[in-house]
Amino acid sequence: MGSASLTVQSARDMILQHCQRTIGKLAVESVALLESFQRVLAEPISLDYDQPPFARSMRDGFALRTEDVQSAPVALHCVGEVRAGEMTETALRSGEAMHIMTGAPVPEGANAVVMVENTDRRSDRVQVLKPVRAGENIAPKGSERRAGETVLRPGRRISTLEAAVLASAGKAAVLVYRRPVVAILATGDELVAVEAVPRAGQIRNSNSFSLYRQVLNSGGIPLILDTAGDNLTDLRRQIQRGLESDVLLVSGGVSMGKYDLVEPVFEELGVRVHFESVSMRPGKPTVFATWKDRWVFGLPGNPLSTFVAFELFVRPVLRALQGLPAADLPVVRGLLQADVVERSGRSAFLPARVSSGAGTLEISPVNWKGSADVFGAVESNGLLIVPAQATHLTRGETVEALLFEDLAYANEVRL
Ligand code: AMP
Ligand code: MG
């Protein structure tokens, strides 16, 4: 493996190719419906009975025969009442109506429901004020889905309406793909814990926390390992520990420094490196490797490098390991709001704000000081993508941005 940089696309292709190996081999587990949210369905869901299971009234009103009310207003004889959860034996005859509640089964003989607002009830007489169409306010038996029909397919992430469908289908427990366990290993002699006050030359470890969050919102189970110093003993021990998980993310120690010892330890432990550099900014020294069926990433230590490399290269793997399409990237197009100069010659991913403008999205780079600057980047909700060959982007141009996962909740952007 040489040190030549791959394009972002070839690096992703290489990873996606490895992801192919997981197809048909993913572990599944059964979880209670309430535990299934954000998990990925591993079985097809079909209905055990017609939906609705009976001709259902969609209104509070009166079930009737439409031919009786063609010349409304007209009075009908009210012969009873049917509530949700009941079934009436009475069949409706000509000139009759039955008081009916939303969700109740429509009695035999009736072919429409007039809503209560269009009636006037006087003891056992009901005045119907307007004519009604046949079928009005009735959902026929099986009109939504038939018994045996598939209503959700495997590979579907279980969100809110999926929960309603699963409950309707009687799935108290569902088969889902197992969540991959992702070990997070920060490396660096300069790193101290969040609680500590850094002394001269030290900084707080922030990558473990941003990675933890990224793993969680990619559906993985994050596991933070003790920080390793820049020495072979620490690195050997912690990398070995990390290889017990499905995925190991090592942050730092993968650039060209004298104490960047992660790759030598990978080699020692038989971890196979597939690439060790990508032509991108930030995130150039990203390493992708495998060991047996484990996935290993060496992410460059700078906080934004780690963050961007995760979005482009790790997230696809976590998606594949859960039965989701790995290649999908949340990329949108919008109008660039400022001139951008980018001289790196690499694909750049620059923190930007994506917001909804007049009939289009607007993409505004934020004031960001480079790969270490989380304080500038925290003002962004996406990454402006500057293609490798572009050196200047002009305000007003249509450009692409990669959205962050949580964006759907940012109320300033309506997609
Ligand atoms: P490295 O990739 O180890 O050369 O690190 C590059 C830069 O990222 C250095 O300035 C490190 O101090 C910084 N860095 C490395 N790991 C972390 C971390 N876990 N949290 C915050 N900054 C880090
Ligand atoms: Mg380091």
Side-chain angles (χ1 to χ4, degrees):
M1 186 62 37
S3 60
S5 283
L6 289 173
T7 63
V8 171
Q9 192 54 54
S10 349
R12 278 175 48 82
D13 286 347
M14 199 178 282
I15 289 168
L16 294 174
Q17 220 157 35
H18 280 267
C19 289
Q20 298 274 327
R21 291 190 325 225
T22 63
I23 291 170
K25 290 193 208 140
L26 296 176
V28 298
E29 61 184 333
S30 176
V31 297
L33 180 52
L34 282 178
E35 304 301 318
S36 73
F37 301 140
Q38 295 312 316
R39 303 294 296 272
V40 182
L41 203 54
E43 59 172 337
I45 303 298
S46 56
L47 288 181
D48 53 350
Y49 64 125
D50 285 346
Q51 292 281 359
F54 47 82
R56 179 170 61 199
S57 176
M58 302 197 295
R59 298 273 187 219
D60 295 317
F62 291 86
L64 49 69
R65 304 160 74 98
T66 49
E67 62 268 25
D68 290 348
V69 295
Q70 289 312 309
S71 51
V74 57
L76 299 176
H77 181 54
C78 185
V79 294
E81 156 185 304
V82 52
R83 303 158 53 153
E86 286 181 346
M87 202 76 200
T88 178
E89 297 300 319
T90 319
L92 215 63
R93 287 169 312 187
S94 184
E96 292 178 342
M98 196 177 292
H99 198 183
I100 191 166
M101 312 307 149
T102 303
V106 175
E108 205 61 39
N111 68 345
V113 170
V114 57
M115 50 197 241
V116 74
E117 292 86 339
N118 294 338
T119 63
D120 188 9
R121 173 99 189 251
R122 303 260 161 87
S123 68
D124 68 344
R125 306 290 292 170
V126 56
Q127 184 86 0
V128 176
L129 305 174
K130 285 187 180 169
V132 207
R133 276 179 297 106
E136 202 166 323
N137 297 322
I138 295 177
K141 174 173 157 61
S143 58
E144 293 162 3
R145 293 288 186 274
R146 292 278 179 199
E149 236 182 281
T150 300
V151 288
L152 291 175
R153 294 179 197 288
R156 179 72 172 250
R157 196 188 280 283
I158 301 169
S159 189
T160 313
L161 292 177
E162 287 79 0
V165 168
L166 289 167
S168 304
K171 297 296 293 183
V174 250
L175 209 58
V176 294
Y177 293 108
R178 194 170 64 78
R179 298 170 67 190
V181 177
V182 184
I184 298 170
L185 174 60
T187 73
D189 286 335
E190 74 281 26
L191 300 180
V192 297
V194 184
E195 300 77 13
V197 179
R199 293 195 312 268
Q202 297 183 324
I203 59 164
R204 293 195 177 103
N205 166 17
S206 67
N207 290 347
S208 293
F209 297 88
S210 51
L211 285 172
Y212 187 95
R213 176 65 195 145
Q214 284 178 299
V215 169
L216 262 191
N217 79 18
S218 316
I221 301 173
L223 179 68
I224 296 183
L225 303 182
D226 288 342
T227 300
D230 292 311
N231 62 78
L232 291 172
T233 318
D234 267 21
L235 287 170
R236 278 187 195 119
R237 190 181 57 233
Q238 294 303 74
I239 287 173
Q240 259 169 330
R241 192 160 293 166
L243 289 173
E244 291 166 15
S245 298
D246 300 298
V247 180
L248 166 61
L249 306 179
V250 182
S251 106
V254 287
S255 3
M256 302 298 282
K258 184 171 166 200
Y259 300 101
D260 288 329
L261 299 173
V262 168
E263 282 186 87
V265 173
F266 281 173
E267 193 173 302
E268 222 182 274
L269 298 177
V271 174
R272 273 189 58 207
V273 172
H274 304 290
F275 64 73
E276 55 182 5
S277 179
V278 184
S279 180
M280 62 190 276
R281 182 178 90 86
K284 186 164 183 271
T286 298
V287 176
F288 167 56
T290 51
W291 181 76
K292 299 184 181 172
D293 62 344
R294 309 301 156 93
W295 302 75
V296 182
F297 290 88
L299 306 174
N302 271 312
L304 257 289
S305 312
T306 284
F307 175 85
V308 172
F310 182 99
E311 293 300 312
L312 292 174
F313 306 121
V314 184
R315 194 182 285 278
V317 171
L318 301 192
R319 290 176 63 85
L321 290 175
Q322 292 168 87
L324 290 170
D328 293 5
L329 270 184
V331 171
V332 294
R333 293 164 79 76
L335 292 186
L336 184 62
Q337 301 299 299
D339 292 344
V340 172
V341 178
E342 173 58 44
R343 298 192 192 282
S344 68
R346 300 175 247 153
S347 303
F349 297 85
L350 311 178
R353 276 209 77 74
V354 179
S355 55
S356 50
T360 170
L361 292 178
E362 297 180 348
I363 300 173
S364 319
V366 301
N367 181 9
W368 176 61
K369 303 280 190 294
S371 54
D373 179 18
V374 288
F375 308 102
V378 76
E379 304 304 329
S380 67
N381 58 7
L383 299 166
L384 165 65
I385 303 174
V386 187
Q389 64 282 5
T391 52
H392 290 78
L393 296 181
T394 317
R395 185 193 156 100
E397 244 184 271
T398 298
V399 291
E400 289 188 329
L402 177 67
L403 299 179
F404 300 161
E405 183 88 339
D406 296 337
L407 193 84
Y409 298 100
N411 58 12
E412 62 271 50
V413 178
R414 296 174 301 273
L415 296 175

